[in-house]
Amino acid sequence: MPDPFFATSKNRKRKRSTTRDDGPSTSKKAARDTKGRAGKPRKLEAAPKKRSVGDEELSDDTHDNEDREGIDEMDLRAPDVDPNAYESGEEDEDETPAEKRLRLAKIYLESVKQGLSLADGEFDAAEIDRELISARLKQDVLEHSGKVHLYIADTFDLTQPPSLRTKRGHKFSVTAAVASHDGRWLYSSGKEGSIVKWDMRTGRQAHTHHKCRVDKDKSKGKGKSRETVDVSGHIDEIWTLAISPDGKYLASGGKDRQVGVWDVEKNEWVKGFGGHRDCISALAFRKAAPSLQAPLQLYSGSYDRTLKLFDLSTMGYVETLFGHQAPVLSIDALRAETTVSAGGRDKTVRFWKVPEETQLVFRGGGGSKWHDVLDGMDEDSGSKRPKEDVKSERFVEGSIDCVAMIDETTFVSGGDSGSIHLWSTQKKKPMFTQGVAHGIDLAHMDTEDVAMVRKPRWVTALASLRYSDLFASGSWDGEVRLWKLDGKLKSFALIGTISVLGVVNSLQFLTPPKDFVSTASWASPAPSEEPAEAPVRANGRQAKHDGSPVLLVAGVGQETRLGRWIQRKGEGHVNGAVVFALHPRT
């Protein structure tokens, strides 16, 4: 018999049962307890007849415990959503992974066939498989790889390419020119605040978006403190243009601090995005085709040192990217959710990874050498010359003004030192630098001490034929220079020039449809030349060109697009857009 000294009069606390049947619990532990260790659901015990008041307050209105389902058997989808919307095609529960891959492949081929506008019975099925669908699949795989796969820079004839020049469209200097990807329309913007739409097949003016007039009473304040007026258009100079990959929207920006979106077909103002606190200086669309996985995204850069991302699928603002310490002067983007921006006077190029919310900073500011020979001038080629005959000068980069992406990890930049830098996301420093790419400009001074000032011509514009080894640069030396990347993407060299008088403020490469030459008479090559396939060996690989031309669009003005520091006037210096058709050699 136990000692009464150790006995207690208090009742011992009863342990709570681990298995409850008060309905599906919201905690993870309770959800796990309903299953065994092997993953099999266990039978729930009978529910107690009496419930506490607290349990009744937390429980739902269903009191039929016998028909209650477990957490794994409940349908958690929204009640107003079609259950078939969650399935891809006609999915079967007993479908094997191999059968599912086959079914998805058939769905993809059907979408490709619809994208190529092929109806049943229009072509032979074997011909479609061999030529059209096979080529489309290969192209999709190469483009989604995000790497350079087109080695076609040596295939083009640059001697006298056919060209189209717009006339009498702008009163002041042209700041930008872009063309739609189907080769139908050409757009140019000017400092007078207007956007002109041109028919690129005939060269005729189709429509003009004029500058909006605003009463002085409505626009209060001066400079940056001026309030943004709600109008259907721009009220000041337009500095930059961008066109969507599907050719549906045109984006514009300038000194009025709003990003304008236009409907291309209807020639109407769709929406104006505010938010920037200073002038809009750069715009770029994501090059991926709009879909549920890849919405139509627009990047904008401003003098307020920020980048903003907009989703034109929903016409909404997404986010703001901070990092630059000076006005953002140039932006470029390709298929991935990344973009590259040039920060002007902060002398940095930033590679933005938008989903990860991170950025890579590449610092420029390097110098370029120039050897002045007594009997002439020549660029530094590395050859040794007598010291008494050579004077060496070094120009330091003070601003990075333009940038262009080659592929998803490689890009080029240019600035006021006249140098073109080749960058890779794998290295902090440039892989290659071409010093004084557009030569030296001589400026006469009225002072007695200095009669002549020598300075390099800025690189005012850059553009690349995406995922290829070809890119172009522009300045005010009267030429657009074409460059070829080597097979390993570690250097580049000059392959040709195209004569363009004036200040080149924008450049764009474009691959038009195959029937473009037949509909645009000006784009036809010389009668003695016929485009043909030409295999090119680059880095041990063969690359074939399909014989279609490539269009180079240049926006040319008498002044630089952001100021009046450089002026080129005289015979042949016309404010307008120029389009060159680059045909392959025979």
Side-chain angles (χ1 to χ4, degrees):
M1 182 175 181
D3 193 346
F5 178 80
F6 296 99
T8 176
S9 60
K10 295 182 179 180
N11 297 326
R12 291 187 179 181
K13 189 174 182 180
R14 188 176 59 183
K15 293 184 179 181
R16 184 177 297 177
S17 176
T18 56
T19 57
R20 299 182 58 185
D21 194 32
D22 295 337
S25 174
T26 58
S27 65
K28 297 182 179 179
K29 183 176 180 181
R32 288 196 303 265
D33 289 339
T34 58
K35 292 186 178 182
R37 294 189 179 183
K40 298 181 180 179
R42 295 185 301 183
K43 296 183 179 179
L44 298 176
E45 297 179 0
K49 296 182 180 180
K50 296 183 179 180
R51 292 183 179 181
S52 61
V53 179
D55 290 342
E56 290 181 355
E57 292 178 354
L58 294 176
S59 62
D60 55 5
D61 297 335
T62 304
H63 298 285
D64 190 5
N65 298 323
E66 297 179 357
D67 298 335
R68 181 173 298 166
E69 297 178 349
I71 187 65
D72 295 331
E73 300 176 359
M74 295 179 64
D75 188 3
L76 301 179
R77 295 176 293 191
D80 56 345
V81 177
D82 185 11
N84 296 328
Y86 292 90
E87 311 295 340
S88 58
E90 299 177 357
E91 189 171 357
D92 189 4
E93 295 180 357
D94 300 332
E95 188 178 32
T96 62
E99 293 175 348
K100 184 175 182 179
R101 287 194 296 268
L102 179 60
R103 178 175 53 81
L104 295 178
K106 290 181 179 179
I107 296 174
Y108 176 71
L109 290 177
E110 287 295 327
S111 64
V112 170
K113 185 177 178 181
Q114 293 177 1
L116 294 172
S117 300
L118 298 175
D120 293 336
E122 205 172 315
F123 293 99
D124 183 59
E127 182 182 354
I128 295 175
D129 292 339
R130 285 194 303 267
E131 297 180 3
L132 299 176
I133 297 180
S134 177
R136 172 66 181 274
L137 293 177
K138 290 180 181 179
Q139 181 182 357
D140 289 349
V141 171
L142 291 174
E143 288 187 359
H144 281 84
S145 66
K147 298 179 181 179
V148 171
H149 57 271
L150 298 174
Y151 295 91
I152 57 176
D154 287 332
T155 63
F156 297 108
D157 185 8
L158 306 178
T159 53
Q160 290 182 351
S163 62
L164 171 69
R165 180 183 287 270
T166 61
K167 298 179 180 179
R168 298 179 182 179
H170 296 276
K171 184 179 180 181
F172 298 141
S173 179
V174 170
T175 56
V178 294
S180 59
H181 296 275
D182 58 357
R184 187 72 179 92
W185 305 112
L186 171 67
Y187 293 89
S188 60
S189 63
K191 288 188 176 182
E192 73 278 356
S194 64
I195 301 175
V196 182
K197 179 180 181 181
W198 308 85
D199 189 342
M200 203 157 61
R201 302 178 188 271
T202 62
R204 296 179 181 178
Q205 184 173 338
H207 187 78
T208 302
H209 302 286
H210 294 283
K211 176 182 176 181
C212 296
R213 302 292 181 180
V214 181
D215 297 337
K216 295 182 179 180
D217 298 337
K218 294 183 180 180
S219 58
K220 300 180 181 179
K222 295 182 179 180
K224 298 180 181 179
S225 61
R226 184 173 57 186
E227 296 179 1
T228 303
V229 182
D230 187 12
V231 293
S232 298
H234 290 283
I235 61 175
D236 212 328
E237 297 180 9
I238 299 175
W239 286 353
T240 179
L241 294 175
I243 196 162
S244 60
D246 56 358
K248 185 178 180 180
Y249 296 111
L250 174 73
S252 58
K255 292 185 68 176
D256 58 358
R257 298 180 296 158
Q258 67 172 339
V259 178
V261 180
W262 306 81
D263 191 308
V264 170
E265 295 298 330
K266 298 180 181 179
N267 297 324
E268 294 178 353
W269 174 272
V270 178
K271 189 177 175 104
F273 292 104
H276 280 295
R277 304 175 65 87
D278 211 332
C279 306
I280 310 296
S281 52
L283 290 171
F285 274 97
R286 183 184 173 188
K287 301 302 187 294
S291 62
L292 293 177
Q293 292 78 15
L296 186 58
Q297 294 179 340
L298 173 65
Y299 299 94
S300 66
S302 171
Y303 268 40
D304 63 2
R305 301 174 295 179
T306 66
L307 283 79
K308 289 186 181 296
L309 175 61
F310 302 96
D311 186 357
L312 297 194
S313 301
T314 58
M315 288 297 168
Y317 160 79
V318 179
E319 63 176 321
T320 302
L321 307 177
F322 298 92
H324 279 291
Q325 304 300 317
V328 181
L329 302 183
S330 180
I331 298 177
D332 198 12
L334 291 180
R335 295 178 61 93
E337 289 188 84
T338 58
T339 184
V340 172
S341 60
R345 287 291 171 183
D346 69 357
K347 295 181 283 188
T348 64
V349 178
R350 296 177 184 254
F351 184 87
W352 305 84
K353 300 179 181 179
V354 178
E356 302 174 9
E357 297 183 353
T358 59
Q359 57 180 293
L360 302 178
V361 182
F362 302 89
R363 303 193 180 277
S368 59
K369 289 185 179 180
W370 178 267
H371 289 315
D372 184 8
V373 189
L374 293 180
D375 58 351
M377 289 183 294
D378 187 19
E379 191 176 346
D380 183 14
S381 59
S383 59
K384 295 182 179 180
R385 299 178 181 270
K387 293 182 179 180
E388 61 272 8
D389 295 337
V390 179
K391 293 181 180 179
S392 178
E393 292 185 72
R394 183 177 179 86
F395 303 102
V396 179
E397 190 172 45
S399 175
I400 300 180
D401 298 333
C402 50
V403 66
M405 295 188 71
I406 305 296
D407 60 15
E408 301 295 350
T409 59
T410 310
F411 51 93
V412 290
S413 67
D416 61 354
S417 67
S419 301
I420 301 177
H421 302 286
L422 177 63
W423 304 85
S424 174
T425 56
Q426 308 300 322
K427 293 185 179 181
K428 291 184 178 180
K429 294 183 178 180
M431 294 188 297
F432 183 79
T433 299
Q434 177 66 46
V436 196
H438 286 265
I440 293 289
D441 193 15
L442 302 178
H444 295 275
M445 303 296 292
D446 296 333
T447 60
E448 297 179 357
D449 299 335
V450 181
M452 191 79 67
V453 173
R454 297 158 47 82
K455 57 182 180 180
R457 297 186 181 94
W458 308 343
V459 180
T460 56
L462 285 172
S464 69
L465 183 61
R466 57 180 184 175
Y467 305 114
S468 76
D469 60 343
L470 178 66
F471 71 94
S473 63
S475 186
W476 62 84
D477 59 342
E479 293 178 339
V480 171
R481 305 200 174 196
L482 301 177
W483 308 85
K484 175 196 172 185
L485 291 162
D486 68 344
K488 297 182 179 180
L489 304 181
K490 292 185 177 181
S491 65
F492 55 87
L494 182 68
I495 60 172
T497 60
I498 300 176
S499 177
V500 178
L501 295 178
V503 181
V504 180
N505 287 322
S506 71
L507 289 172
Q508 178 198 14
F509 273 107
L510 179 69
T511 304
K514 292 184 178 181
D515 61 343
F516 177 78
V517 177
S518 61
T519 56
S521 58
W522 65 267
S524 300
S528 59
E529 299 178 1
E530 295 182 0
E533 294 184 357
V536 178
R537 182 175 295 274
N539 195 19
R541 289 168 289 185
Q542 290 285 343
K544 290 186 178 182
H545 196 270
D546 58 358
S548 60
V550 171
L551 302 183
L552 176 61
V553 182
V556 184
Q558 297 178 350
E559 303 170 353
T560 54
R561 71 184 184 102
L562 301 179
R564 305 186 65 183
W565 306 290
I566 304 298
Q567 295 184 1
R568 288 293 180 268
K569 297 182 180 180
E571 186 178 358
H573 296 80
V574 182
N575 295 320
V578 187
V579 184
F580 298 95
L582 307 181
H583 290 273
R585 292 192 184 97
T586 54

